[in-house]
Amino acid sequence: MVKTVLICDDSALARKQMNRSLPEDWDVEVLFAKDGQEGFTLCQTEQVDLMFLDLTMPVMDGYQVLEKLQHQSKRPDVVVVSGDIQTKALERVTAMGAAEFLRKPASRQEIRHILERHGWYVPKPERTTPNELDAVEVSEMDAYRELANVAMGRAGSLLAEVLDVFVKLPIPNVNVLESSELHMALQAVDEYSDLSAVCQGFIGDGVSGEAFLLFDDTKFDDMAKLLGHEANLDNQAEIEVLMDLSNILIGACLKGIAEMLHIHFSQGHPVVLGQHCRVIDLIAANQNRWQKNLAIEINYCVEEHDINCDLLLVFTEESLHVLSENIKYLVEG
């Protein structure tokens, strides 16, 4: 019988949402961990019966936690709850001992269903453990990071499906930036010798911005093969590769954000922003387009192919108030 539940997620919003979604009449003690290392340590020092485990976390990610738990005699049942919804992610965590896999954000019905199916949930007349996390304030930036995490996972899953690969997903960078700080947001791509970029505008329900896909020029041949382009890559063929990638990543990422915030985006046509140029030149040529913005930066890495690309979502300053109001509904849910 489950007595102690551990919710392990680096997002305060995700921890709060999961705790709030547990059955009210389930008489269990709920513990919380902010990263995989903290979660693994709690599994060794406390009697944890069931763990809800995120995959994308700092210090130690969910895969590493599962790997370490395999070698422990004292280990809880594990339900992975993740924005990384690739089929190969499901296969990997299942092989590593996870009992269930839930896509973020998991609904009350989905959680209750698996709890009942495994016999973990036994209703009591009244839940006796105080719901302490409801008193914890979730910062707006934490909510944006969780929003980016889920959207990133949707886009990564679609890319993995199209290319038949496993896509490594990072912890997204989320910041409110002045235009002069944009270079810092792009520091992850500074190592590229030359890059090509596509931008695509979006607008809907008071929110607008631009999405940028930045791709390392040296990886065009590898990406073209994965996308099924057989002809030799001339300038036009490289543009087609860029457009294919932007359609996959930008569309899926914006769809994920729109679904969570209950808004609808209309997207403009993707435009080649630059080819075979340096990051600093790209910024210099376009910095008048970017003022104070909310910037979400995601680096996608294709495993075993050494292919990287960066997706940058920039929301306009005029959008920040609307986003802030929508985020409040998400937090207070």
Side-chain angles (χ1 to χ4, degrees):
M1 178 181 295
V2 173
K3 296 179 181 178
T4 303
V5 172
L6 171 61
I7 299 173
C8 182
D9 198 305
D10 61 317
S11 166
L13 174 60
R15 296 195 299 273
K16 185 171 184 174
Q17 286 179 325
M18 175 56 68
N19 187 45
R20 196 166 49 200
S21 299
L22 299 178
E24 289 290 338
D25 56 352
W26 194 26
D27 189 17
V28 292
E29 180 183 9
V30 181
L31 305 177
F32 304 98
K34 298 176 183 177
D35 58 59
Q37 179 61 65
E38 191 175 327
F40 178 74
T41 300
L42 280 171
C43 289
Q44 304 309 300
T45 58
E46 305 289 338
Q47 180 57 53
V48 177
D49 302 296
L50 175 63
M51 175 163 57
F52 292 100
L53 177 67
D54 186 25
L55 290 179
T56 307
M57 292 184 290
V59 186
M60 181 188 293
D61 65 25
Y63 294 105
Q64 293 170 310
V65 173
L66 285 169
E67 183 178 7
K68 294 195 72 169
L69 285 177
Q70 288 184 93
H71 306 293
Q72 306 299 315
S73 57
K74 181 183 176 183
R75 56 179 179 266
D77 292 315
V78 177
V79 176
V80 170
V81 187
S82 177
D84 183 354
I85 55 174
Q86 301 175 68
T87 301
K88 292 182 185 296
L90 168 61
E91 294 172 352
R92 291 186 181 192
V93 300
T94 301
M96 298 172 81
E100 290 284 352
F101 187 104
L102 287 176
R103 158 177 158 162
K104 277 186 173 181
S107 69
R108 291 174 183 267
Q109 292 76 18
E110 290 173 316
I111 295 168
R112 186 175 182 122
H113 175 69
I114 66 163
L115 293 177
E116 290 179 335
R117 183 147 56 88
H118 286 272
W120 293 325
Y121 165 55
V122 178
K124 293 288 184 181
E126 183 177 357
R127 184 174 175 173
T128 57
T129 304
N131 197 346
E132 296 180 355
L133 197 64
D134 278 351
V136 176
E137 185 176 350
V138 178
S139 72
E140 192 170 287
M141 197 55 68
D142 183 87
Y144 284 134
R145 289 193 184 94
E146 182 63 6
L147 180 73
N149 182 45
V150 172
M152 171 187 72
R154 302 282 176 85
S157 176
L158 182 57
L159 181 65
E161 181 181 345
V162 171
L163 303 182
D164 190 24
V165 296
F166 182 76
V167 178
K168 295 180 180 179
L169 298 179
I171 297 172
N173 290 323
V174 182
N175 295 287
V176 175
L177 302 174
E178 302 289 343
S179 59
S180 59
E181 299 172 300
L182 188 60
H183 184 270
M184 294 177 64
L186 293 169
Q187 59 185 347
V189 296
D190 273 348
E191 64 189 39
Y192 297 167
S193 54
D194 290 295
L195 57 83
S196 297
V198 170
C199 75
Q200 187 169 18
F202 57 88
I203 188 169
D205 299 332
V207 178
S208 63
E210 291 183 287
F212 302 87
L213 178 72
L214 302 105
F215 190 76
D216 185 347
D217 287 345
T218 63
K219 306 301 178 184
F220 265 118
D221 286 341
D222 293 334
M223 180 55 76
K225 289 177 183 176
L226 289 175
L227 286 168
H229 292 262
E230 298 180 354
N232 292 329
L233 283 183
D234 54 17
N235 187 62
Q236 183 58 38
E238 289 182 351
I239 291 176
E240 290 178 7
V241 170
L242 273 178
M243 291 301 176
D244 286 348
L245 265 180
S246 66
N247 285 330
I248 294 169
L249 291 177
I250 295 175
C253 205
L254 288 177
K255 184 178 180 182
I257 291 174
E259 287 179 357
M260 290 189 70
L261 296 181
H262 303 291
I263 57 180
H264 174 75
F265 287 130
S266 296
Q267 297 172 225
H269 294 291
V271 176
V272 176
L273 201 60
Q275 277 187 279
H276 314 303
C277 56
R278 302 297 302 269
V279 171
I280 192 169
D281 298 326
L282 184 68
I283 295 172
N286 296 276
Q287 61 184 0
N288 60 337
R289 303 161 67 135
W290 307 316
Q291 300 303 316
K292 181 179 180 181
N293 303 291
L294 174 69
I296 297 174
E297 182 201 357
I298 303 166
N299 175 256
Y300 289 96
C301 178
V302 179
E303 188 178 70
E304 298 180 353
H305 290 276
D306 191 29
I307 296 176
N308 290 278
C309 60
D310 277 69
L311 179 63
L312 180 67
L313 301 178
V314 180
F315 295 86
T316 64
E317 184 174 5
E318 292 74 20
S319 304
L320 297 184
H321 175 70
V322 179
L323 285 172
S324 180
E325 290 300 312
N326 285 36
I327 281 291
K328 286 180 184 175
Y329 286 113
L330 185 65
V331 172
E332 295 168 359

